[in-house]
């Protein structure tokens, strides 16, 4: 069983000198293409190993599981594993408040912590992510393997255009590219004027691969065109994205592909779950995201019961580390929304798939007049409309006892020629969403552009609370 799975051991330590055959599309041919039931049987054993490790090293997990009447040895099936209580972000924050700085779910000595990342704390107390030195090497190996699946190869230049700060995405992309023996340009993003500089560097270096958020790529294309540079001249082969929904949204994917002429890859789960690329498309299966189940165990669950939904169903992802030893997450509830399927993948990998990627968060979903609206749906619709100016804003407010949704979209037409645009786009958007919409147009280049992640929703109902 697990004997067929390359370098399958816990605690994990990968051969840092290993690289696949240059002609192979797979990093680990057996692990990636084996019968999924056989691989899952090995994963079930690993889940018990990880739980046994966490039970013996973490008072957080030991107390939680004792209260639920569970022991690691009880996990003899995936149905039994679904009885394990989920971990929430609120519990992690509480644990760190009571046991600073890393919480009592830290499973290694503090002296072993190699990297500290975390949340910004803009909406509350920040959460610290502690990554051990060995874990950092394992993360690099995991994500180098996934970059290989995207088509990135040793010697390629990888341009990392995401914030180098507490944000883990940029650091994870960089260390993965370094493990893959790539050249890395850790450009960063976010500061005023940096996007114009990114255009200059991209035109000069012509990297093979590019990492950022989808909204930043769209902003980059706008700035390049203003500089009279065709983004296709950058020569990018692969553009991989995380940090926000978008790279699996058909119209957003098409806009990026049309601008840059590159393969667009969606990837990413949660910063807490780094290696965050454990959900990722590949060069051979570029749509949606495959779930690399031998790196992180992914479940798609009913958000009320946290039991897995059948393939084809919608739910919230729940994640479990299979190789982390410093701050392992065991059934971390994401609060995101997605749908999963099990089907033949063109690349030959036998993993389940999120065909639409992760398309929103439960708490980002707009509840209005008894209907649910995802911000990505508005984005998907507007990007197919002629004369759309590239940016929009969604405002939700309460007038009397009624909720109202206003969509403001940029238009490339002059103000005196926008009547048909407003009429047709407003009616089409309302029909597409199935909810009443007040639609307004504004001049192009008037709404704020994202230098990292987009923030398009303003819920004035919350602002008044």
């Amino acid at each position: 069983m697990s004997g067929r799975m390359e370098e399958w051991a816990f605690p994990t330590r990968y051969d840092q000198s290993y690289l696949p055959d240059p002609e192979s599309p797979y990093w680990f041919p057996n692990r990636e293409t084996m019968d999924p039931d056989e691989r899952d049987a090995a994963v079930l054993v690993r889940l018990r190993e990880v739980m046994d490790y966490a039970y013996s090293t973490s008072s957080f997990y030991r107390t939680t599981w004792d209260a639920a009447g569970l022991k690691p040895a009880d996990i003899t099936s995936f149905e039994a594993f679904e009885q394990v209580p989920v971990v929430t972000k609120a519990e992690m924050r509480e644990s760190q408040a009571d046991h600073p700085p890393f919480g009592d779910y830290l499973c290694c000595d503090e002296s072993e912590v190699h990297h500290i990342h975390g949340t910004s704390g803009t909406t509350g107390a920040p959460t610290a992510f502690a990554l051990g030195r060995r874990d950092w090497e394992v993360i690099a190996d995991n994500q180098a393997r996934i970059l290989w699946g995207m088509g990135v190869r040793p010697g390629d230049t990888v341009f990392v255009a995401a914030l180098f700060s507490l944000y883990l995405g940029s650091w994870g992309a960089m260390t993965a590219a370094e493990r893959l023996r790539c050249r890395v340009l850790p450009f960063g993003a976010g500061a005023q004027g940096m996007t114009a500089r990114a255009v200059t560097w991209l035109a000069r270096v012509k990297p093979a691969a590019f990492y950022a958020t989808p909204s930043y790529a769209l902003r980059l294309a706008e700035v390049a065109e203003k500089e009279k540079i065709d983004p296709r001249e950058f020569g990018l082969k692969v553009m991989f994205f995380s940090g926000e929904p978008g790279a699996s949204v058909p119209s957003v994917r098409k806009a990026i592909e049309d601008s840059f002429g590159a393969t667009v890859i969606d990837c990413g789960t949660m910063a807490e779950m780094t290696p965050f690329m454990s959900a990722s498309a590949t060069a051979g299966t570029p749509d949606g995201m495959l779930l690399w189940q031998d790196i992180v165990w992914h479940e798609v669950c009913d958000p009320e019961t946290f039991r897995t939904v059948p393939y084809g169903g919608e739910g919230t992802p729940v994640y479990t580390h299979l190789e982390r030893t410093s701050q392992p997450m065991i059934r971390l509830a994401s609060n995101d929304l997605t749908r999963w399927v099990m089907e033949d993948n063109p690349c030959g990998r036998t993993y389940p798939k999120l065909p639409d990627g992760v398309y929103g968060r439960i708490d980002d979903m707009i509840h209005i007049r008894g209907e649910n609206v995802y911000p990505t749906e508005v984005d998907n619709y507007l990007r197919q409309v002629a004369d759309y100016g590239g940016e929009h804003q969604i405002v939700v407010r309460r007038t009397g006892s009624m909720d109202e949704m206003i969509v403001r979209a940029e238009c490339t037409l002059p103000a005196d020629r926008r009547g048909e645009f407003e009429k047709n786009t407003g009616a089409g958007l309302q029909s597409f969403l199935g909810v009443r919409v007040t639609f307004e147009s504004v001049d192009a280049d008037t709404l704020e552009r994202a230098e990292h992640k987009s923030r398009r929703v303003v819920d004035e109902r919350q602002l008044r609370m």
Side-chain angles (χ1 to χ4, degrees):
M1 189 192 302
S2 61
R4 288 188 53 212
M5 298 176 70
E6 301 96 333
E7 300 193 49
W8 183 252
F10 183 82
T12 305
R13 193 65 180 262
Y14 288 109
D15 177 0
Q16 296 299 296
S17 67
Y18 171 76
L19 285 172
D21 182 322
E23 300 303 315
S24 173
Y26 310 112
W27 185 273
F28 286 149
N30 292 339
R31 280 170 68 166
E32 294 172 30
T33 65
M34 68 194 301
D35 181 277
D37 290 336
E38 184 181 353
R39 183 174 52 233
D40 288 354
V43 168
L44 182 61
V45 174
R46 172 62 55 81
L47 290 172
R48 286 197 297 272
E49 291 178 318
V50 171
M51 288 184 63
D52 189 61
Y53 168 78
Y55 189 87
S56 65
T57 56
S58 161
S59 60
F60 174 88
Y61 285 116
R62 187 165 54 250
T63 301
T64 301
W65 297 340
D66 283 350
L70 283 169
K71 293 288 191 290
D74 298 331
I75 308 306
T76 57
S77 67
F78 289 111
E79 290 77 14
F81 184 64
E82 291 177 29
Q83 305 297 318
V84 175
V86 297
V87 177
T88 67
K89 287 190 175 186
E91 288 173 325
M92 292 162 57
R93 287 193 294 269
E94 182 178 350
S95 171
Q96 293 194 354
D98 293 342
H99 305 275
F102 302 123
D104 59 345
Y105 57 94
L106 181 70
C107 292
C108 68
D109 191 271
E110 285 192 22
S111 64
E112 296 178 34
V113 174
H114 174 57
H115 265 243
I116 302 173
H117 294 268
T119 61
S120 63
T122 53
T123 58
T127 302
F129 307 149
L131 298 104
R133 186 174 300 276
R134 177 177 289 190
D135 279 348
W136 196 247
E137 288 185 357
V138 170
I139 288 163
D141 242 272
N142 291 152
Q143 300 198 157
R145 174 183 164 197
I146 293 166
L147 290 186
W148 184 279
M150 295 178 187
V152 184
R153 292 294 180 266
D156 285 346
T157 298
V158 179
F159 191 102
V160 181
L163 294 171
F164 278 92
S165 62
L166 289 169
Y167 179 66
L168 252 171
S170 47
W171 297 97
M174 182 177 75
T175 193
E178 289 175 338
R179 169 61 183 90
L180 191 51
R181 314 293 192 259
C182 295
R183 292 183 294 268
V184 183
L185 201 168
F187 183 80
Q192 189 71 27
M194 281 191 75
T195 305
R197 291 180 211 158
V199 170
T200 300
W201 276 100
L202 285 162
R204 181 179 182 180
V205 177
K206 298 191 183 305
F210 173 95
Y211 169 74
T213 59
S215 54
Y216 184 76
L218 294 169
R219 172 62 175 157
L220 181 67
E222 285 185 340
V223 172
E225 288 161 7
K226 287 178 182 176
E227 298 288 328
K228 308 300 182 187
I229 295 175
D230 183 349
R232 288 173 174 262
E233 294 177 14
F234 301 151
L236 291 166
K237 177 175 66 174
V238 178
M239 301 180 74
F240 60 107
F241 301 100
S242 72
E244 63 183 8
S248 285
V249 174
S251 62
V252 176
R253 284 176 61 86
K254 186 175 186 304
I256 297 172
E257 288 168 345
D258 289 349
S259 292
F260 293 91
T263 299
V264 172
I265 298 286
D266 194 8
C267 68
T269 54
M270 302 170 68
E272 293 87 345
M273 288 310 303
T274 298
F276 68 87
M277 292 182 198
S278 64
S280 174
T282 67
T285 307
D287 59 310
M289 295 194 289
L290 302 187
L291 302 177
W292 299 61
Q293 295 286 59
D294 50 317
I295 294 175
V296 166
W297 182 246
H298 309 74
E299 305 168 85
V300 176
C301 296
D302 181 296
E304 298 294 330
T305 66
F306 294 105
R307 304 293 182 261
T308 58
V309 300
Y311 287 125
E314 182 184 72
T316 188
V318 174
Y319 304 113
T320 299
H321 280 121
L322 297 180
E323 299 186 336
R324 280 274 294 273
T325 57
S326 48
Q327 238 180 8
M329 293 288 99
I330 301 172
R331 299 210 82 209
L332 175 63
S334 68
N335 206 37
D336 290 328
L337 284 166
T338 192
R339 179 175 67 91
W340 69 344
V341 298
M342 190 65 173
E343 59 188 26
D344 291 339
N345 299 309
C347 66
R349 291 175 177 83
T350 53
Y351 297 127
K353 178 180 175 181
L354 308 181
D356 309 309
V358 176
Y359 42 77
R361 291 184 56 77
I362 292 172
D363 50 8
D364 284 346
M365 186 167 56
I366 301 168
H367 301 277
I368 185 164
R369 300 190 181 191
E371 299 293 335
N372 297 327
V373 176
Y374 301 108
T376 51
E377 293 179 301
V378 177
D379 197 10
N380 194 27
Y381 181 83
L382 290 176
R383 291 194 182 280
Q384 301 176 67
V385 174
D387 303 316
Y388 170 58
E391 195 51 84
H392 61 276
Q393 182 184 67
I394 303 169
V395 179
V396 185
R397 62 169 60 123
R398 181 159 292 147
T399 304
S401 61
M402 299 293 291
D403 289 339
E404 180 184 14
M405 186 165 79
I406 302 158
V407 176
R408 298 189 180 107
E410 291 181 349
C411 180
T412 57
L413 297 171
D416 59 356
R417 293 176 52 202
R418 290 187 200 155
E420 287 298 308
F421 172 82
E422 292 183 348
K423 177 182 175 182
N424 294 337
T425 306
L429 186 60
Q430 185 164 299
S431 176
F432 181 74
L433 298 176
V435 64
R436 187 176 180 277
V437 175
T438 299
F439 183 78
E440 302 171 355
S441 68
V442 298
D443 293 340
D445 298 320
T446 57
L447 296 177
E448 182 181 359
R449 259 53 177 179
E451 296 296 332
H452 180 46
K453 294 185 183 184
S454 63
R455 294 179 178 85
R456 297 191 174 107
V457 180
V458 178
D459 193 337
E460 295 180 350
R461 298 172 302 182
Q462 297 175 355
L463 296 177
R464 293 180 180 178
M465 292 175 63

